Amino acid sequence: DPQVIFETLNARGVPLLPSDLIRNFVFLRATQQGENAEDLYSALWKDYDERPAEADAGKNERFWKQMDRQGRIKRTRLDLFMHHYVQYRSAQDLSIGHLFKAFRSWWESEAKRSVASELEELRRHSDVFAKVLVPDGDGRTALFAKRLQALDTSTVYPVLLLLLVGGKERVVADDLDGIVTDLESYLVRRMVCDLGTKNYNRFFLTALGKLANTRFDRYNLRAALVEQQGESVVWPDDARFK
């Protein structure tokens, strides 16, 4: 029973994290489906356990085990990624405190998933997410990622996963920088106008749903941002911003 597992300690005396439960769940499914769990682990999951952290984090630190803050709480980077990934794939708002339950519910929403295919998709997204967490260079997306950290705003990450990975092939040529600029404008203008962030989770998931099956261009994203009414979601115009 997952709740019993969650309340116990693993062999190292450390409480199991949601990502630990997700790993156990996924590889149990692999075994049940006759897939080679050891090969899948080596090829597609081992990186989450062993990838070295960035140079200034310490010699023996692991990238995905590093603790990052999201709002008022601190979680491992892997738990944070899983949280945004499940929201992105399910298009549903969820509490990180119920991450494993939400993951299992999403997984079981389809009769039979291929563990290999799902782990490949997970890695494809997490490799990009790692670059958002630790941005490098001065490209427009890297700059936006750095500013998101300064703003302490992570609720836009599911949209970025669609923009940079899942829907990348549907992004209109040369529109990526403009889309990122508009997302940044929305967040910065609202911050300057002191309009709050309380409804961002739901708002960006709604936008995600509208963009999921359409051409991903700057016009469609702008339309999704501009049409919002009310203090909790409005994109301040020039007059209000000034």
Side-chain angles (χ1 to χ4, degrees):
D1 179 89
Q3 291 305 314
V4 174
I5 295 172
F6 191 76
E7 291 166 4
T8 62
L9 301 178
N10 65 20
R12 295 172 298 164
V14 180
L16 290 175
L17 300 170
S19 50
D20 294 326
L21 296 174
I22 288 172
R23 178 192 59 206
N24 295 345
F25 173 85
V26 167
F27 286 103
L28 175 60
R29 288 291 183 272
T31 301
Q32 292 171 340
Q33 294 175 13
E35 300 184 63
N36 189 315
E38 289 186 9
D39 288 348
L40 287 175
Y41 174 83
S42 296
L44 297 169
W45 191 280
K46 188 177 181 179
D47 185 72
Y48 298 133
D49 290 332
E50 299 187 7
R51 175 177 174 172
E54 52 272 31
D56 59 356
K59 183 178 179 180
N60 297 315
E61 296 295 325
R62 296 291 177 256
F63 181 90
W64 290 107
K65 305 301 182 182
Q66 292 285 296
M67 302 292 287
D68 274 6
R69 190 166 63 87
Q70 181 171 284
R72 296 185 298 273
I73 61 173
K74 293 186 75 173
R75 301 279 184 170
T76 66
R77 288 172 172 171
L78 185 55
D79 278 0
L80 292 176
F81 164 66
M82 289 292 184
H83 178 230
H84 295 300
Y85 183 75
V86 175
Q87 289 192 117
Y88 154 66
R89 292 295 302 272
S90 66
Q92 293 183 354
D93 189 11
L94 65 98
S95 164
I96 197 169
H98 298 101
L99 174 56
F100 173 63
K101 181 179 179 181
F103 178 90
R104 185 177 60 180
S105 177
W106 163 74
W107 185 281
E108 293 175 345
S109 64
E110 288 188 13
K112 187 175 181 180
R113 295 181 185 272
S114 164
V115 173
S117 296
E118 290 295 346
L119 285 178
E120 287 171 358
E121 195 70 4
L122 193 74
R123 274 295 301 274
R124 199 162 68 94
H125 285 78
S126 64
D127 287 347
V128 172
F129 188 76
K131 295 177 182 178
V132 173
L133 285 179
V134 185
D136 186 28
D138 55 2
R140 190 65 187 84
T141 302
L143 181 60
F144 180 47
K146 293 174 184 176
R147 289 175 174 169
L148 282 178
Q149 293 177 1
L151 289 167
D152 192 20
T153 300
S154 60
T155 45
V156 72
Y157 284 162
V159 175
L160 283 181
L161 289 175
L162 175 64
L163 176 66
L164 301 175
V165 192
K168 184 178 180 180
E169 71 285 349
R170 291 189 284 111
V171 176
V172 174
D174 302 322
D175 265 13
L176 179 59
D177 285 357
I179 290 170
V180 168
T181 297
D182 288 342
L183 286 171
E184 183 178 290
S185 169
Y186 179 84
L187 295 171
V188 173
R189 284 175 178 241
R190 286 187 54 82
M191 179 194 68
V192 170
C193 294
D194 196 24
L195 292 175
T197 64
K198 185 171 65 174
N199 290 317
Y200 279 2
N201 250 2
R202 188 168 300 173
F203 167 70
F204 283 118
L205 287 172
T206 299
L208 194 66
K210 292 180 179 179
L211 295 168
N213 299 308
T214 64
R215 187 176 66 160
F216 208 153
D217 61 14
R218 191 173 187 181
Y219 175 82
N220 284 333
L221 179 70
R222 279 196 158 207
L225 295 176
V226 170
E227 70 183 14
Q228 303 302 312
Q229 301 296 321
E231 295 290 282
S232 64
V233 289
V234 69
W235 187 6
D237 60 18
D238 289 351
R240 182 166 188 173
F241 185 60
K242 289 175 183 178

